[in-house]
Amino acid sequence: MLTRRSRGQKTPYRDKVRAQIVLLAARRWSNTAIAAAVGVTVDTVRTWRGRFAAQGLAGLADRARSGRPSRFTPVQVAQVKALACQFPARAGVALSRWSCPELAREVVTQGVAEAMSASTVWRWLAREAIKPWQCRSWLFPRDPDFTAKAGRVLDLYERRWNGRRLGPDEFVISSDEKTSIQARCRCHPSLAPGRARMMRVNHEYERGGAVAYLAAYDVRQARVFGRCAPSTGIVPFMALVEQVMTAEPYVSAKRVFWVVDNGSSHRGQAAINRLAARFPNAVMVHTPVHASWLNQVEIFFSVVQRKVVSPNDFTNLDEVKQRLADFEQRYNATATPFQWKFTRRDLRDLLTRISDHERQDIPTELPHAA
């Protein structure tokens, strides 16, 4: 055991030194010789030889230490955590959220402690995973038919419609618009990455206009059809539909389901009738209100944002359009369908949790006084 400790590559340095001291002592080396060979003081050698002689291997472990007495009481720690769990405005502080330095300053201002460092506050909050500087938004479903509408979309992703499996000649298209893609011409050329240097983009730029990018994504074939337009609207969206529905295999398909959100370009029953009148084999399916996350094309738009648009450095709108068109070809050459895992069961569990939360927020009525 001592030999393995003294030679182990992953053994902590302190354990390796202590094992070497004992092994050299077993060879009848003097304390002075051991100290010179290992690189410690004679007192250190004497300490670990004595502990090993008295306790064996257990004597080479660190003993429990009391440490420095705490400067703050448990009550003060609890007060700091309670303050971090309140909005700053309740404490009369003109902030939207707390930071550790601001919390430490407020603790001193309120007289909780005479002095406190930001690192101390951070250490206390980290124990409870309290992060008042972070913010996460949420939204309750407002659509009264949320379950039915979301369920239809989720069924289409599993290739079902009205309880029946879709055939090989039926397709699901997810479509939407990505608005206001700007052409920002940087005042100085961007610098390519190099050794120990990331890509650098000049912050100052001149605006070269903006363009809307409309895309239709075949959920099963992972194929994207896109086009650019000066702005969104019914005409650009129907042009995208024309582009897709006049190409094979969609022109001869039995049914083509178009999953869209409730944007003005394709909102309501009028959009459903307009699509059906132009293409009888096309069926428009709307996501619930404020549920664009159910539209798979949004995943593709996030890919476009990360791989094409950012960092935004284009000389003009023509370069933006060409880059998007080139990326479509590159994406379609290697793309595979998204692994969509959110099902009706997940939807039911989510809505149940939301319903339980809403019931907890409803105040109970106080009994009437006699």
Side-chain angles (χ1 to χ4, degrees):
M1 178 65 70
L2 291 173
T3 301
R4 284 201 300 268
R5 287 188 184 183
S6 65
R7 297 177 182 177
Q9 297 295 327
K10 297 183 179 180
T11 303
Y13 178 74
R14 62 178 182 272
D15 294 338
K16 183 179 295 187
V17 169
R18 296 168 190 176
Q20 290 173 353
I21 291 174
V22 176
L23 289 174
L24 293 177
R27 298 179 185 178
R28 299 180 181 277
W29 284 34
S30 65
N31 289 349
T32 304
I34 295 174
V38 180
V40 296
T41 63
V42 176
D43 289 340
T44 300
V45 174
R46 187 180 296 111
T47 297
W48 294 114
R49 288 188 65 174
R51 290 190 184 180
F52 182 80
Q55 305 177 24
L57 287 174
L60 299 183
D62 288 334
R63 293 177 178 176
R65 301 178 183 180
S66 60
R68 187 181 67 180
S70 177
R71 294 172 47 198
F72 304 99
T73 66
V75 174
Q76 290 175 311
V77 176
Q79 288 176 320
V80 172
K81 294 179 181 179
L83 182 62
C85 294
Q86 298 178 9
F87 291 118
R90 291 190 58 185
V93 180
L95 295 172
S96 60
R97 65 184 76 177
W98 290 114
S99 65
C100 288
E102 295 289 353
L103 275 170
R105 187 182 308 172
E106 184 62 23
V107 166
V108 176
T109 302
Q110 293 188 8
V112 176
E114 295 182 358
M116 184 173 296
S117 65
S119 59
T120 298
V121 174
W122 179 87
R123 187 167 58 252
W124 292 346
L125 298 184
R127 294 173 186 170
E128 308 294 338
I130 300 174
K131 302 176 182 179
W133 48 86
Q134 293 185 356
C135 176
R136 184 175 181 180
S137 60
W138 52 271
L139 179 68
F140 282 132
R142 286 183 7 190
D143 196 320
D145 299 326
F146 188 94
T147 303
K149 292 181 179 179
R152 290 191 304 169
V153 174
L154 296 176
D155 285 346
L156 286 175
Y157 291 160
E158 294 184 352
R159 300 199 55 75
R160 291 200 311 270
W161 180 253
N162 292 335
R164 296 183 178 181
R165 297 289 299 178
L166 297 183
D169 57 346
E170 294 178 297
F171 301 89
V172 179
I173 300 292
S174 174
S175 180
D176 201 3
E177 304 94 354
K178 183 175 177 60
T179 61
S180 299
I181 301 179
Q182 298 185 21
R184 298 178 179 178
C185 183
R186 306 292 171 172
C187 296
H188 296 279
S190 298
L191 300 178
R195 183 178 180 182
R197 185 191 71 207
M198 66 182 68
M199 182 193 341
R200 288 185 284 184
V201 181
N202 180 235
H203 180 72
E204 189 176 4
Y205 60 86
E206 294 181 358
R207 297 180 184 272
V211 67
Y213 179 54
L214 295 83
Y217 174 76
D218 189 318
V219 172
R220 184 177 65 173
Q221 298 184 359
R223 185 181 178 188
V224 175
F225 301 85
R227 64 186 299 115
C228 294
S231 61
T232 60
I234 296 177
V235 174
F237 176 74
M238 291 304 297
L240 175 66
V241 175
E242 188 88 18
Q243 176 183 345
V244 176
M245 297 299 295
T246 55
E248 289 292 352
Y250 312 103
V251 65
S252 57
K254 178 182 178 180
R255 282 186 299 188
V256 180
F257 295 91
W258 283 75
V259 179
V260 296
D261 60 14
N262 295 273
S264 59
S265 305
H266 34 69
R267 180 186 301 163
Q269 187 63 39
I272 297 176
N273 297 337
R274 185 167 52 247
L275 180 65
R278 180 65 184 86
F279 298 100
N281 63 335
V283 180
M284 181 173 288
V285 181
H286 287 96
T287 64
V289 177
H290 297 315
S292 295
W293 53 272
L294 285 172
N295 206 345
Q296 286 198 27
V297 75
E298 297 293 346
I299 305 176
F300 172 73
F301 282 155
S302 80
V303 175
V304 170
Q305 180 65 37
R306 289 182 282 110
K307 293 192 174 184
V308 182
V309 178
S310 298
N312 194 321
D313 187 6
F314 300 99
T315 56
N316 50 55
L317 287 180
D318 292 336
E319 185 176 352
V320 176
K321 297 175 183 178
Q322 188 61 45
R323 183 76 60 83
L324 290 170
D326 294 342
F327 179 75
E328 279 181 30
Q329 297 181 4
R330 179 184 180 90
Y331 183 86
N332 288 334
T334 59
T336 57
F338 298 129
Q339 296 182 4
W340 187 268
K341 298 180 179 180
F342 194 85
T343 64
R344 272 186 178 267
R345 176 180 298 179
D346 300 314
L347 175 66
R348 184 170 58 253
D349 294 342
L350 174 63
L351 295 179
T352 300
R353 294 198 304 269
I354 293 176
S355 178
D356 293 342
H357 181 78
E358 288 181 316
R359 283 197 297 267
Q360 292 175 3
D361 287 346
I362 299 176
T364 56
E365 296 183 1
L366 297 176
H368 296 287

